[in-house]
Amino acid sequence: MAGCKVQLDFSDSRCSSCASHPYYIILGLILVHYATLSMHSQVTQEKCKVNEISSKYEHCGLHPDGVRDLDCFTKYPWSKLRCMWKPGKHASKNTHILVIQPQKRNYCRVYKNINKSREEITFYKNHYVTIQIFENSESKNCTKTDFQGSPESLQRCDPPNYVKFTRHSGKLDINVSWDQNDVKHIMSYSVRYKALGSLQWNESPGMSQNKTTCRVENLNSSVAYALQIHCITNTKCTQCPWSEAYTVPSEVTSQPVIVNFKETDVANEKGTRLVSITWKVSARDLHDGYIVTIGKESGEAPIERIDTIQPSITLILSYSAYSVSIQSFNNVSISPAVSHIIPLREDMDSMGDDELNVTVHNNISFKIYWKDFLLKKYVCYCAEWREEKTKTAYKSFYLKGKNYYTFSLLKEPLKPYKRYTVSLHVRPNKDTCNMKHLNNSEGTFASTKFYFMEGTPVSGPANISSYNLTQNSMVLQWSSIPEEDTRGFLLGYTIHYTENHLRGTESENNITVDPNVNKYELKDLTSGTTYQVQISGFTSKGTGKRSEPNFFTTTQEGSFKFTSIIAAIAVLAAGLIFGPPIIKRAKVVLWPSIPNPGKSNTMQKIDRPCELELLEVINTLKAEEWETKSLHIIEKEAVAPATILPAMLPLLCGLDKRGDSPGITCNWIQTETDDATGNTSPNNTTDTLLETQQTDLQSFPFPFPSGYTTMEMFQHVMPQSITAVTQDMESDPEDADLTVFNPKPGLDYVRQFSTSPVSDNDHLSTIL
């Protein structure tokens, strides 16, 4: 029932607001809960006796995996003692007990329920103290760590709270800042370093000359280092611990290389161009990004720095000249810069006399004026003027309602005979006529050239030459006069030419051509005449110096025909001299020499058998045996029987030289010694040789296949002929008593005729 009353009480009208807001009740309960927890976890301290502490925690010992690295210090001026430690790896509860005990005192102070790894305790600066931390004090795995120190050694100055490194050329510059409570006590500091990944620190640490900067030298630019810093101890800083290890990357040493530069006009924007630059860096350099610095060549502000992580940049610029430098960087170094000049552009279509004009008053004052339609859009302008190959001067100005401006009291006076270029830039930003940024901040309206004082050219055209020479014309060609020698605006060239004769020269002829012309054809000249030619340029101040004299001769009348005849004769002579060897060589290469059987001298043509012809041939061969083109077969022995010769007659009848004797016939003649029966006397070999027998060449049983007969064929034919003759003799019974000599089985010799005559004893023998 009591619970109900409580409930009724809450429902009473006086607590209606509480019922309507139940979250207030919940919030109150949460606050009460956390207040209770905080009371239980709050660090408590109490006095103790040294003997009691020693007996209570005597089971606790030092262990590498337990609580460790207790360190206590204080800040100047004297304040509470700050103690820090590292908890054990296997602590069941993150609670510690700290005991501080002054030396030579039998009392101590205990701090319990410490859930952090640091604590501030009351410090007695006049006593040497021993401090202990206990972990897992209620278990058998209790561990502890100790610290002892005197008041004079407990004043600490912490490592720097800010460090900046800069590397260049093997040097490392260090800039640090300290805690505001320590900076007034620190006089200097030192550093130690080692190559990244090395185990041993450098044995000769560097030392600063002041409390902020230090330089370490003789480092390897391509090596990354680890580095630590601490202050130099003194009476106010008795402890100077090393800082954490800082990583210092290697230097960026490679200069970027520009690989592409592109310039295009911006559409619908007069006097502006889109400039794109792309570059690359060495892969061995570790970099974080790139620094692009761009400014006008004239020196006008601003010089703008653009940081980018991409190796390219795109800008919208006017036609003015700009200088660009590009560097790569990391957090400790910047690479050498690559520079590029974006040149002044003067080839825009609107750059004419109608757009911008100049009036020079004197060497320190001139006026420019332009089209008045700009007045409706622009009030901020900038003019730039410069002599060729000199620094550009500039002047920015605000102008409203006028289309002209006078520049006076120039810092650099204008020089006579020197050409100047002036450009007018317009700026759409009306807040200020001084640009805040270079990118897309101005455009070029027009550009023109002017002289403070003009003169005449000091030199003439060079490299004068001629071509297409004819009897009455020639074409002259020359190089333009250098701009620095014109000393004014070149209005044209004058060609001076005269006929050159031994008795003197005739009157000079002059022809004027435009300044942009560098060749001209002279006409109506005299054939075969030498002309002296000189060329000079002229300005508004007059004609300048002439070029050196040059001499050119027109062709002679009829010289073309004479030259053609000489050329034809030369070609014909060369053909006669070198033609036959060339043709002969070509014939040997292209058409090899093949013997003609019909014209062979080895074997003569065989027509038909002839007895008288045979004798004449034999006599002729003996008389002309020195002819090397004839074949002669000789045997030095007794004459063969006459019965063999008839077998040879059919073969030898046809042997003849190239031309047969017209008086000799090929018919066999019958002699008086023949009887009526046609038999031949065996006792008369001479008569047997003249025996007649009607034989036709066509009936010869061994015809030659062609007019060309080799020795091998001749040797094959002769035995067969002799055999045939022998058979005919055996068939006739009346000739049975004929004596037939067997042929000799060998050939005495076969040779060509030499110049030695054959002896009378030599006789023709049959070859077997």
Side-chain angles (χ1 to χ4, degrees):
M1 300 297 293
C4 294
K5 289 181 180 179
V6 173
Q7 187 174 7
L8 291 173
D9 290 340
F10 275 106
S11 63
D12 187 67
S13 60
R14 291 176 296 180
C15 294
S16 59
S17 60
C18 295
S20 61
H21 300 284
Y23 61 89
Y24 286 109
I25 299 174
I26 298 173
L27 180 60
L29 294 175
I30 293 174
L31 292 175
V32 171
H33 174 72
Y34 277 101
T36 304
L37 291 177
S38 63
M39 289 179 64
H40 287 289
S41 62
Q42 185 177 3
V43 177
T44 61
Q45 59 174 315
E46 56 185 37
K47 294 182 179 180
C48 63
K49 293 183 178 181
V50 176
N51 296 334
E52 294 177 355
I53 294 298
S54 299
S55 61
K56 185 175 181 179
Y57 299 108
E58 63 180 358
H59 64 286
C60 299
L62 301 174
H63 196 277
D65 291 336
V67 64
R68 61 197 182 278
D69 298 338
L70 175 61
D71 188 18
C72 297
F73 60 91
T74 185
K75 290 286 188 179
Y76 188 88
W78 298 108
S79 61
K80 289 186 176 183
L81 190 66
R82 301 176 186 178
C83 292
M84 297 182 297
W85 62 90
K86 293 179 181 180
K89 297 180 180 180
H90 306 291
S92 59
K93 294 181 181 180
N94 193 15
T95 59
H96 303 88
I97 296 175
L98 184 146
V99 179
I100 180 170
Q101 176 187 352
Q103 189 179 19
K104 298 180 182 180
R105 297 287 182 177
N106 194 25
Y107 67 88
C108 59
R109 184 176 289 114
V110 177
Y111 292 82
K112 298 181 179 180
N113 299 325
I114 301 176
N115 296 320
K116 302 176 295 182
S117 59
R118 60 184 301 166
E119 186 64 31
E120 292 186 356
I121 59 178
T122 303
F123 177 65
Y124 297 96
K125 64 180 181 179
N126 296 325
H127 298 87
Y128 187 91
V129 295
T130 299
I131 301 173
Q132 293 178 313
I133 295 291
F134 298 97
E135 186 179 65
N136 298 332
S137 59
E138 302 300 330
S139 67
K140 295 181 179 181
N141 296 325
C142 177
T143 59
K144 69 176 182 178
T145 181
D146 298 336
F147 175 82
Q148 294 179 351
S150 63
E152 294 82 6
S153 63
L154 297 181
Q155 299 179 37
R156 172 177 293 186
C157 292
D158 290 329
N161 55 14
Y162 172 79
V163 181
K164 181 181 179 181
F165 300 103
T166 303
R167 296 190 64 174
H168 60 91
S169 305
K171 302 179 180 64
L172 174 63
D173 292 330
I174 307 169
N175 193 294
V176 302
S177 62
W178 307 89
D179 183 84
Q180 60 181 357
N181 295 323
D182 297 337
V183 65
K184 55 186 176 182
H185 307 301
I186 297 174
M187 298 293 103
S188 62
Y189 65 92
S190 65
V191 298
R192 65 180 183 181
Y193 58 90
K194 63 180 180 179
L196 197 63
S198 177
L199 299 178
Q200 186 176 2
W201 293 97
N202 190 291
E203 296 180 356
S204 56
M207 183 177 295
S208 69
Q209 300 299 322
N210 52 52
K211 65 178 67 178
T212 57
T213 61
C214 179
R215 170 172 286 187
V216 180
E217 298 183 345
N218 301 323
L219 299 179
N220 191 332
S221 300
S222 60
V223 174
Y225 290 90
L227 184 141
Q228 288 182 313
I229 304 172
H230 73 166
C231 62
I232 304 300
T233 59
N234 53 44
T235 57
K236 303 298 182 181
C237 296
T238 57
Q239 290 186 17
C240 288
W242 288 104
S243 67
E244 62 179 0
Y246 298 99
T247 299
V248 183
S250 59
E251 290 185 43
V252 182
T253 57
S254 298
Q255 185 183 51
V257 177
I258 296 177
V259 296
N260 185 37
F261 175 82
K262 186 178 181 181
E263 177 182 320
T264 56
D265 292 331
V266 178
N268 302 323
E269 291 290 337
K270 177 183 177 181
T272 58
R273 50 183 169 170
L274 186 68
V275 176
S276 299
I277 306 175
T278 305
W279 61 90
K280 65 178 181 180
V281 296
S282 175
R284 60 187 175 90
D285 285 343
L286 299 177
H287 59 278
D288 300 329
Y290 308 96
I291 301 172
V292 180
T293 304
I294 182 171
K296 279 197 166 187
E297 275 284 271
S298 62
E300 182 182 5
I303 298 177
E304 191 172 356
R305 168 174 169 162
I306 303 172
D307 294 343
T308 177
I309 60 174
Q310 300 296 329
S312 61
I313 191 171
T314 302
L315 302 168
I316 298 177
L317 303 175
S318 67
Y319 288 178
S320 182
Y322 295 85
S323 62
V324 180
S325 68
I326 303 170
Q327 299 169 287
S328 58
F329 71 92
N330 56 24
N331 60 352
V332 297
S333 63
I334 300 176
S335 73
V338 58
S339 299
H340 183 78
I341 301 298
I342 303 176
L344 172 71
R345 183 171 172 182
E346 301 176 318
D347 58 348
M348 61 182 296
D349 296 336
S350 60
M351 290 183 178
D353 296 336
D354 295 336
E355 302 289 342
L356 183 66
N357 291 281
V358 180
T359 300
V360 180
H361 302 303
N362 49 54
N363 64 340
I364 58 172
S365 177
F366 67 93
K367 182 176 71 172
I368 63 172
Y369 47 97
W370 57 91
K371 293 293 183 178
D372 56 2
F373 63 81
L374 293 180
L375 302 178
K376 300 178 182 179
K377 187 175 182 180
Y378 301 102
V379 294
C380 290
Y381 304 89
C382 178
E384 293 179 346
W385 63 94
R386 68 185 180 98
E387 179 194 348
E388 188 68 25
K389 299 180 182 180
T390 60
K391 186 176 180 180
T392 302
Y394 68 93
K395 175 70 175 178
S396 60
F397 53 92
Y398 175 88
L399 188 65
K400 187 175 182 179
K402 296 181 180 179
N403 64 334
Y404 58 89
Y405 191 86
T406 301
F407 302 91
S408 58
L409 301 177
L410 303 179
K411 294 181 180 180
E412 293 290 336
L414 301 177
K415 301 176 183 178
Y417 316 129
K418 298 296 182 180
R419 182 177 296 185
Y420 289 86
T421 300
V422 60
S423 301
L424 179 65
H425 309 294
V426 293
R427 297 173 177 173
N429 187 2
K430 298 180 180 180
D431 294 338
T432 174
C433 292
N434 296 321
M435 292 187 299
K436 296 180 179 180
H437 303 285
L438 292 177
N439 188 29
N440 199 22
S441 294
E442 74 173 9
T444 302
F445 169 67
S447 180
T448 190
K449 300 180 184 296
F450 70 94
Y451 282 88
F452 159 58
M453 182 183 297
E454 289 191 68
T456 58
V458 295
S459 67
N463 302 322
I464 300 176
S465 61
S466 66
Y467 62 95
N468 289 349
L469 289 170
T470 64
Q471 298 179 20
N472 54 11
S473 67
M474 70 175 69
V475 178
L476 298 176
Q477 188 171 355
W478 61 89
S479 299
S480 301
I481 301 175
E483 182 179 301
E484 59 270 16
D485 291 346
T486 59
R487 303 203 307 170
F489 292 109
L490 191 66
L491 302 180
Y493 294 101
T494 301
I495 302 174
H496 315 271
Y497 66 99
T498 58
E499 293 184 4
N500 190 23
H501 297 286
L502 296 176
R503 300 178 181 178
T505 58
E506 297 182 357
S507 60
E508 181 179 271
N509 298 312
N510 297 328
I511 297 177
T512 301
V513 298
D514 293 336
N516 56 349
V517 173
N518 64 347
K519 64 180 179 179
Y520 185 80
E521 183 179 7
L522 295 178
K523 298 181 179 180
D524 299 329
L525 304 179
T526 304
S527 64
T529 303
T530 300
Y531 286 86
Q532 175 182 300
V533 177
Q534 291 178 288
I535 304 177
S536 62
F538 62 92
T539 65
S540 60
K541 296 298 182 179
T543 301
K545 184 178 179 180
R546 294 187 181 187
S547 64
E548 295 295 328
N550 292 268
F551 299 91
F552 307 104
T553 304
T554 57
T555 58
Q556 187 74 28
E557 183 178 359
S559 61
F560 176 75
K561 294 182 179 180
F562 181 72
T563 303
S564 302
I565 293 173
I566 293 177
I569 293 174
V571 171
L572 181 60
L576 293 176
I577 295 173
F578 301 105
I582 295 175
I583 294 173
K584 184 176 181 181
R585 182 62 180 170
K587 181 179 179 182
V588 170
V589 175
L590 300 178
W591 297 284
S593 179
I594 301 175
N596 188 345
K599 297 181 180 181
S600 172
N601 294 324
T602 304
M603 296 296 294
Q604 294 182 356
K605 193 175 4 176
I606 299 176
D607 293 330
R608 48 190 171 177
C610 179
E611 179 183 47
L612 296 179
E613 220 174 348
L614 174 61
L615 296 177
E616 287 190 15
V617 167
I618 293 173
N619 294 331
T620 303
L621 291 175
K622 288 184 178 182
E624 299 179 359
E625 62 178 309
W626 54 86
E627 183 178 351
T628 59
K629 296 183 180 180
S630 300
L631 179 66
H632 196 186
I633 303 171
I634 300 173
E635 182 179 8
K636 294 182 179 181
E637 60 183 28
V639 178
T643 55
I644 301 176
L645 294 178
M648 296 177 56
L649 293 178
L651 297 176
L652 299 178
C653 180
L655 296 178
D656 194 3
K657 296 182 180 180
R658 296 182 182 178
D660 295 333
S661 249
I664 299 176
T665 63
C666 295
N667 296 322
W668 293 103
I669 303 174
Q670 188 175 9
T671 62
E672 296 177 355
T673 58
D674 293 340
D675 56 4
T677 60
N679 295 329
T680 304
S681 175
N683 297 326
N684 193 346
T685 53
T686 305
D687 296 337
T688 305
L689 179 64
L690 299 177
E691 181 181 3
T692 59
Q693 182 179 355
Q694 295 295 329
T695 305
D696 189 27
L697 182 60
Q698 296 177 356
S699 64
F700 184 63
F702 305 102
F704 293 100
S706 65
Y708 182 77
T709 304
T710 63
M711 288 298 298
E712 182 179 1
M713 295 173 63
F714 186 80
Q715 291 175 1
H716 283 294
V717 169
M718 288 301 295
Q720 297 174 3
S721 301
I722 295 173
T723 304
V725 172
T726 304
Q727 291 176 357
D728 291 339
M729 294 174 64
E730 291 177 354
S731 62
D732 192 353
E734 295 179 359
D735 297 336
D737 57 348
L738 286 177
T739 302
V740 180
F741 289 91
N742 292 328
K744 189 176 180 179
L747 179 67
D748 186 19
Y749 62 90
V750 178
R751 64 176 178 84
Q752 289 182 342
F753 290 111
S754 64
T755 56
S756 300
V758 182
S759 63
D760 296 333
N761 296 327
D762 293 342
H763 298 279
L764 182 66
S765 64
T766 303
I767 300 175
L768 295 181

